[in-house]
Each structure stands twice: as structure tokens, then as C-alpha cells.
């Protein structure tokens, strides 16, 4: 099974530290140590704060890269127009298995994040601050930081600040899901596209950005735009936080100036000298081949120009000894299981895309490849959030980056390499947030091929060419549990069972996953 990353991996820095200042002194900067390392911070008027963000070209560090100054002004204008107090939200919901930069910041430098959030709240006249987290460690660290500052959620306070804890799910980090949970609803995207700058928490204009963005703002406010711009590239000044994992000797979070060669970053983490490819931007990101990765530099514009993505700063190389498409299939299965189960492109389309990739690896030929491409095209731009788009883009990038391996699987007997599970995934054991801890199983001595189960839970069971279910058993995500129970009750032949998954089962997914270290070709096609 793919190994998961610790909450707080090793932290290193290239050049002078900005966000990670003081990390060499203590494990966590409490308020006293934070002030010794960074010094005091004076409030900044709203337009001056927006101008500062413009001068340092500050963009959101959660993946989308939206200009912070533009977002700040949009919230201020909406609040003035409506005559209501805005809300500030820090998104620390870092739920992608390959990302730990925000988790490191919250655990080790929570006051730097709070500095930036409080600057924004003061500039906007906000009276509510919400910090979204999904882990025990980040919740504890941020609660302690609020207590150290005397902040809380008490009525009558000049600023009401609270921590919003959500489950560890890919979709809970989506901005609308965080807003919905802060209002007391489920931590899922609502399915309607509304800008948080117009209507966010409690219907008020809401400034929502990720933890690193607020920390970068606090650093720039202290040292000034001129000094800040001395680090990194002219058009993207400052530093970025990266999470290095995959085929590396030392998984780590690394603070680097923009413009640093990607090959140097990989070398620091102990990546293979000639990786097959490097996944940039995480599991909603894009692959670079070895030659392109060697020449790339770390910046949002530079990575996009060469076909990659900075995203949330996850960098994952893979070595020459593993099947890259098999590794991608592991991730595709996980992405499918992370669906919120609310819209067809997500809870039907993503499992179908994962099955399509599995068919390609099973030797399905050009027909299977074209079917996979049709599914990924159909999924994009139709979901309730960006999860289907990002997941489909990952699969498309996988089949585009590894053309030799793709040809070996489509036209031959496969690449012959094992799947080693080098890309980290959440350790979603039965009973975890994404899994119901149960599985659907077909009793072949009773099944008569009625096909009702495939109509009720199409995300888990499909019919084969013979009209019978194409899988013998399928793990059940939480969002499908009610439909799975209904399928069991309505099976005319009583051939479907809902069982407790054994403790040693692989991560929950709608599809069987390859055992670590074995090739799919060695397992056969697995078709019924």
C-alpha cells in the first residue's frame, strides 16, 4: 500500500528563510518566540494592504493562484455596497496526500498565518475570523495560538475567532465546502457557483485564502515590498513552499526562492538522477518528462510554460523502476473514492475514468484508450466543484507524458515493470473518513444477471458483456453506503451482500487496486 506522509516532515530552506524563520531554534514558535523572531506588526489600512499585495505580486498559494489584491478589493467593495461586515477565512484544509506545506506552517508557525489574517481583518473591518483545518495536529496548534493571543468566539468580542474542523477529504478543502461547513452545513461543495467575495460565511462578503498566502502577506508587511522583491524572480518575487515526496530519499517541505532550478530541488530531496517523470502541482497537477523537468525552474509561470503546474506546491518524481501508468492508476482510484457523491461527473465519471485507465493497462488496445479519452472529456467542466476537472486533467496528463509506456500497454504486453506505490496516498483504513469500512460482494452461485445492482450503484458495479457484474467485490465509500444497502435489499436473487471489509484490505476504492510491487500484466486482465 502507498505510504502516507507524516503531518510534519523534515523542513529545509534554500537561501535565507522567510516563512521558516526560527524553525532552527524551536519546533513550534509560540507567541513569545514568534515576536522575538519576526518582531511586532503594525496594522495597515485597506488600500495600502492591497497595494502591498500588488507590489509583491501576491497570488493565492492554494492552487488556483488568484491575485490576492484583487480578491481583497472585491470583498471590500461588496461589503461597502451591501453595508455589512465581511468575514476572513483561512483555508488550512490541506487534504491532498502529497501536500504538507500548510500543515507544517500551522503546526510550527501558526502566528505568522494569524498575523496575515488579522491584518486583512483589520483592514476590512471584519469581526469574524474562521480557520479551517482537517487534522488533529493543526487543530491543536491553531487553538493554542488563538488562546495565546486571547482570541476566541465569545459574544461581544471585537473579533470572534474560531477553528472549523472538517474531515480529511479532498473536497473539504474546496472554498465553497469550507464556507458551507462554517455555516453549520456539511463540508461539501453546494453545487452552485457563487463568489465568496460576494456571499460567503453567513452570506457576508468573505475573504478566503490559504494559510501560506496569509503568512506571505505577514512577511511582506514586516520587511516591506522592496526587501521582499529582492528574493526570487522579478515577476514572481519571494519564496514558495514545496512538498517533496514520491521517489525521494527524504520527503520534506522546502522553502525556496522562485527561479530555483527544479533539478536542484529534486537533488536536495534525494530523487533519482534521471526520473521517469515528475508530477508537479499534486494530484490535480501535471506530469513533466525527465528532459523538461531538468530544464524547468520553480515558478508558477515557468512551470505552466513547460506544461507543468505549481498548484499547491507538491512535487513528486518517480524512478525508472516502476510502471508510471500503474502509479497513476493508484491515484486515479483514490481520486474516484474522494468524490462527494453529489454530481454525476464526479461519482460516476471518475470511477469510470479509473476503470478506463485500468482497461488500457489490461491490454484493452486502442478502443480502450479512446474510451478513456471520451470519459475524461465528458467529466470536465460539468461538476459541482473542481475535483472532477482536476482528476480528469491528471489522467489526461498521465497518458500524454508516458507515451512509450502507453504504447507498450496499448499495443503490446505491457511495460513489464512493477507498480511500487511510490506516490503517497491517505491511509484510509476501514472506518476512515472516506471509507464506510464495508464492501459489496457478489455471490456467483446465486447471481442471475438481473442487473438491478448496476442501476442502483453504477459508481460501484457495472455489467460485463455477458450481462453479469464485472467485479466480484467493491469497497464502498461513505457517500455510496445508502445506495449500496438499497442495492442489497432489492437484489431479486439475494446474490448481493454488504460485508465488513477486513482490516488488511487495500485503500477503499470502487476498483480493485494492484498489490504493491506487482505488475498488472502479471495479474492478468481480471475480467469476468
Amino acid at each position: 500500500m502507498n505510504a502516507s506522509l507524516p503531518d510534519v516532515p523534515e523542513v529545509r530552506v534554500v537561501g535565507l528563510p522567510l516563512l521558516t524563520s526560527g524553525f532552527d531554534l524551536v519546533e513550534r514558535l509560540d507567541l513569545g518566540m514568534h515576536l522575538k523572531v519576526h518582531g511586532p506588526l503594525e496594522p495597515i489600512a485597506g488600500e495600502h494592504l492591497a497595494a502591498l499585495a500588488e507590489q509583491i505580486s501576491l497570488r493565492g498559494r492554494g492552487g488556483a493562484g488568484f491575485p490576492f489584491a484583487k480578491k481583497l478589493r472585491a470583498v471590500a467593495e461588496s461589503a461597502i455596497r451591501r453595508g455589512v461586515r465581511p468575514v476572513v477565512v483561512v483555508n488550512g484544509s490541506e487534504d491532498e496526500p502529497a501536500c504538507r506545506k500548510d500543515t507544517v506552517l500551522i503546526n510550527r508557525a501558526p502566528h505568522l498565518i494569524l498575523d496575515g489574517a488579522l491584518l486583512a481583518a483589520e483592514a476590512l473591518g471584519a469581526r469574524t475570523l474562521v480557520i479551517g483545518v482537517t487534522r488533529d495536529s493543526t487543530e491543536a496548534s491553531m487553538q493554542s495560538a488563538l488562546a495565546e493571543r486571547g482570541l476566541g468566539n465569545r459574544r461581544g468580542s471585537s473579533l470572534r475567532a474560531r477553528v472549523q474542523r472538517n474531515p480529511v477529504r479532498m473536497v473539504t478543502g474546496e472554498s465553497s465546502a469550507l464556507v458551507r461547513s462554517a455555516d453549520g452545513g456539511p463540508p461539501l461543495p453546494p453545487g452552485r457557483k457563487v463568489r465568496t467575495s460576494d456571499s460567503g460565511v453567513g452570506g457576508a462578503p468573505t475573504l478566503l485564502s490559504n494559510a501560506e498566502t496569509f503568512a506571505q502577506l505577514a512577511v511582506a508587511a514586516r520587511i516591506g515590498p522592496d526587501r521582499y522583491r529582492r528574493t526570487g524572480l522579478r515577476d514572481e518575487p519571494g519564496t514558495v513552499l514545496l512538498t517533496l515526496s514520491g521517489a525521494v530519499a527524504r520527503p520534506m517541505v522546502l522553502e525556496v526562492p522562485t527561479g530555483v532550478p527544479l533539478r536542484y530541488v529534486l537533488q536536495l530531496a534525494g530523487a533519482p538522477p534521471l526520473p521517469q517523470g515528475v508530477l508537479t502541482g499534486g494530484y490535480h497537477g501535471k506530469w513533466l518528462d525527465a528532459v523538461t523537468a531538468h530544464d524547468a525552474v520553480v515558478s508558477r509561470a515557468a512551470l505552466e510554460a513547460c506544461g507543468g503546474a505549481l498548484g499547491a506546491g507538491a512535487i513528486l518524481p518517480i524512478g525508472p523502476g516502476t510502471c508510471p501508468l500503474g502509479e497513476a492508476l493508484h491515484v486515479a482510484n483514490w481520486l474516484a473514492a474522494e468524490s462527494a457523491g453529489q454530481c454525476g461527473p464526479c461519482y460516476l465519471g471518475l470511477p469510470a475514468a479509473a476503470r478506463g485507465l485500468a482497461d488500457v493497462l489490461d491490454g484493452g488496445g486502442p478502443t480502450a484508450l479512446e474510451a478513456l479519452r471520451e470519459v475524461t472529456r465528458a467529466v470536465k467542466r460539468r461538476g459541482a466543484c473542481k475535483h472532477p476537472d482536476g482528476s480528469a486533467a491528471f489522467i489526461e496528463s498521465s497518458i500524454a507524458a508516458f507515451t512509450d509506456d502507453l504504447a507498450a500497454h496499448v499495443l503490446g504486453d505491457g511495460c513489464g515493470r512493477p507498480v511500487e506505490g511510490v506516490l503517497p496516498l491517505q491511509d484510509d483504513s476501514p472506518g476512515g473518513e472516506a471509507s464506510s469500512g464495508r464492501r459489496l460482494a457478489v455471490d456467483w452461485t446465486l447471481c442471475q444477471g438481473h442487473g438491478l445492482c448496476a442501476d442502483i450503484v453504477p459508481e460501484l458495479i457495472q455489467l460485463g458483456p455477458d450481462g453479469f457484474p464485472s467485479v466480484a467485490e467493491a469497497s464502498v465509500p461513505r457517500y455510496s453506503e445508502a445506495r449500496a444497502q438499497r442495492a442489497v435489499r432489492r437484489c431479486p436473487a439475494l446474490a448481493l451482500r454488504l460485508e465488513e471489509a477486513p482490516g488488511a484490505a487495500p485503500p477503499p476504492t470502487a476498483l480493485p487496486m494492484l498489490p504493491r510491487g506487482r505488475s498488472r500484466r502479471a495479474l492478468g486482465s481480471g475480467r469476468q
Side-chain angles (χ1 to χ4, degrees), residues 110-128:
H111 290 284
L112 197 60
I113 300 166
L114 285 178
D115 279 346
L118 293 173
L119 274 178
E122 180 72 18
L124 290 168
R127 293 294 177 261
T128 303

Side-chain angles (χ1 to χ4, degrees), residues 135-335:
R135 303 177 187 276
D136 291 339
S137 62
T138 50
E139 181 181 23
S141 181
M142 194 53 76
Q143 292 282 22
S144 296
L146 292 178
E148 289 165 8
R149 289 178 180 248
L151 296 173
N153 197 26
R154 297 179 297 274
R155 290 183 179 274
S157 301
S158 58
L159 177 71
R160 298 182 66 176
R162 60 186 173 91
V163 175
Q164 175 67 37
R165 173 69 183 270
N166 288 329
V168 180
R169 292 287 307 280
M170 188 78 164
V171 294
T172 59
E174 204 268 341
S175 60
S176 63
L178 179 53
V179 167
R180 192 178 183 189
S181 68
D183 281 336
L188 300 173
R192 60 186 184 277
K193 305 292 193 298
V194 179
R195 293 190 304 176
T196 57
S197 58
D198 292 329
S199 179
V201 176
T206 299
L207 176 68
L208 189 152
S209 201
N210 105 304
E212 184 191 343
T213 312
F214 285 109
Q216 293 281 2
L217 183 67
V219 167
R222 279 189 168 89
I223 67 177
D226 292 338
R227 183 177 165 192
Y228 187 95
R229 289 198 301 262
R230 292 174 194 164
T231 300
L233 299 172
R234 177 173 297 182
D235 55 347
E236 288 186 45
T239 65
V240 294
L241 288 179
L242 304 174
T243 309
L244 276 296
S245 63
V248 297
R250 299 176 301 279
M252 65 177 62
V253 167
L254 186 64
E255 183 180 12
V256 301
T258 55
V260 166
L262 181 59
R263 62 180 180 274
Y264 180 63
V265 169
L266 296 172
Q267 181 182 354
L268 284 177
L274 291 173
Q276 277 194 88
V278 179
L279 180 58
T280 58
Y283 296 155
H284 281 177
K286 298 179 180 179
W287 288 97
L288 298 179
D289 60 42
V291 175
T292 305
H294 183 272
D295 297 332
V297 299
V298 176
S299 86
R300 185 175 302 277
L303 287 174
E304 288 177 357
C306 66
L310 179 61
I315 306 293
L316 302 99
I318 58 171
T322 187
C323 172
L325 295 175
E327 298 290 345
L329 178 60
H330 273 287
V331 177
N333 284 329
W334 180 81
L335 290 169

Side-chain angles (χ1 to χ4, degrees), residues 400-421:
F402 303 106
T403 53
D404 291 344
D405 295 271
L406 182 65
H409 284 282
V410 172
L411 303 176
D413 294 328
C415 66
R417 285 172 290 183
V419 180
E420 297 178 338

Side-chain angles (χ1 to χ4, degrees), residues 47 49-58 68-70 73 229:
E47 183 52 38
L49 190 63
L52 171 65
E54 279 185 333
Q55 290 168 341
I56 65 171
S57 302
L58 181 60
F68 186 82
K70 187 175 182 179
R73 289 194 175 104
R229 289 198 301 262

Side-chain angles (χ1 to χ4, degrees), residues 480-528:
S480 291
E481 191 170 13
R483 288 192 292 271
Q485 291 172 340
R486 187 160 64 250
V488 170
R489 290 195 300 266
R490 296 184 63 183
C491 177
L494 304 179
L496 200 61
R497 299 191 303 271
L498 193 59
E499 304 174 338
E500 295 298 320
T509 175
L511 298 166
M513 294 180 68
L514 290 176
R516 182 172 179 176
R518 295 182 64 189
S519 69
R520 179 167 288 276
R521 178 58 55 189
L523 296 176
S525 69
R527 295 179 181 143
Q528 298 295 328

